[in-house]
Amino acid sequence: MKLSNDQKRIIKSIAMYTGIFIVVYPLMTLVAGKHWTWGDYFIFAGIAILVFGLVGLLYVIGSKIPKKDK
């Protein structure tokens, strides 16, 4: 499947958002006073990657523009 420029932009955006979320959210909870163990962090990161990956996949599939048949 060839990706359009919009689909590539969606993939880049979801990847950046996921990376930022995985880093910033635990830091904000640390500032708020909740301390995470490494196990908790890795479970959180894995779930975040799966959820954002699924959402990104749905966005990419949904943004496909069908071509006219000749």
Side-chain angles (χ1 to χ4, degrees), residues 3-59:
L3 298 175
S4 69
N5 289 335
D6 289 334
Q7 289 172 323
K8 291 177 186 176
R9 193 178 75 229
I10 290 170
I11 292 171
K12 289 177 188 175
S13 299
I14 292 290
M16 284 191 320
Y17 183 75
T18 303
I20 291 169
F21 181 73
I22 288 174
V23 172
V24 171
Y25 184 76
L27 290 176
M28 291 298 111
T29 58
L30 183 65
V31 169
K34 183 179 184 296
H35 301 284
W36 290 25
T37 64
W38 282 106
D40 291 340
Y41 175 75
F42 288 127
I43 290 171
F44 162 77
I47 291 171
I49 290 170
L50 287 174
V51 169
F52 287 123
L54 179 62
V55 169
L57 178 67
L58 293 175
Y59 271 118

